[in-house]
Amino acid sequence: MPERYLSNEQLVPQPYFEVVMSDSDIFLGDSFRLNIVSENRGDYGDIHILSTSFPTISKIDGIVEIATYDFTQSSVHVEVGDEIGAKYSGGLESTIAKYPSIEAMNRPILPGAKNHLDLIITPEKIGIFTIYVKSIDIPHTSSLSHYPDSGILDHQDEYVLDYSVNVNP
């Protein structure tokens, strides 16, 4: 690499989010809200992605609705069977989606920037309704570039925090 490039400081964006759920128990036919505040706690970044996925359902339509969304790019709905990136590779590795998700994105992401995604979710079956949430900033330079940085791995072989609601008959 040219010396001039190597001498430049590398920026490290650092995603973070907080989740508030309206309920932990509901009855079948009722809805609950999932509110996420996502932010960059690090340096300037090219892209900030907040991914909310639903491993216990096969489709989003009729179940998950976006109530509030203030990210700079339109949301992307990933369906079962779609080809998606994997292993924090920036698209170099891919896999097939095993469950649906909604990806919110900012481009670029300034230090300290905060955005909101508020979902209304109406499960169609009794049992545990699970939601996976993660955030990734690009450039992806280290484990600081994704949140969380440990725990459960999703179908993309990337770390997620899991949230659940018990749906009663």
Side-chain angles (χ1 to χ4, degrees), residues 60 76-84 97 99-103 155:
I60 290 174
V76 174
H77 290 226
V78 175
E79 302 295 335
V80 174
D82 287 353
E83 185 174 354
I84 52 178
Y99 38 82
S101 64
I102 296 174
E103 293 194 352
H155 58 179

Side-chain angles (χ1 to χ4, degrees), residues 88-162:
Y88 306 112
S89 68
L92 297 176
E93 294 190 49
S94 65
T95 190
I96 301 300
K98 294 178 182 167
Y99 38 82
S101 64
I102 296 174
E103 293 194 352
M105 186 173 22
N106 277 337
R107 193 171 191 165
I109 184 69
L110 300 174
K114 292 185 180 184
N115 290 93
H116 305 86
L117 173 64
D118 185 22
L119 303 175
I120 300 171
I121 302 172
T122 310
E124 293 182 326
K125 297 179 183 175
I126 60 171
I128 302 297
F129 188 95
T130 302
I131 304 119
Y132 289 162
V133 183
K134 66 182 174 186
S135 189
I136 300 159
D137 281 354
I138 299 171
H140 191 276
T141 56
S142 72
S143 65
L144 293 176
S145 300
H146 57 267
Y147 181 78
D149 63 359
S150 64
I152 297 171
L153 292 171
D154 66 2
H155 58 179
Q156 292 174 274
D157 207 19
E158 298 175 354
Y159 293 115
V160 295
L161 292 180
D162 69 321

Side-chain angles (χ1 to χ4, degrees), residues 21 23-28 32 123 125-129 164-169:
M21 292 180 43
D23 300 279
S24 58
D25 281 283
I26 64 169
F27 290 100
L28 186 62
F32 68 94
K125 297 179 183 175
I126 60 171
I128 302 297
F129 188 95
S164 62
V165 168
N166 186 39
V167 182
N168 299 293

Side-chain angles (χ1 to χ4, degrees), residues 1-11 46 139 141:
M1 300 297 267
E3 182 63 36
R4 184 175 188 176
Y5 175 79
L6 293 172
S7 66
N8 288 338
E9 179 183 355
Q10 186 159 9
L11 298 176
D46 293 330
T141 56

Side-chain angles (χ1 to χ4, degrees), residues 47-59:
I47 301 173
H48 176 84
I49 300 168
L50 174 70
S51 178
T52 308
S53 58
F54 310 94
T56 57
I57 61 176
S58 60
K59 65 178 181 68

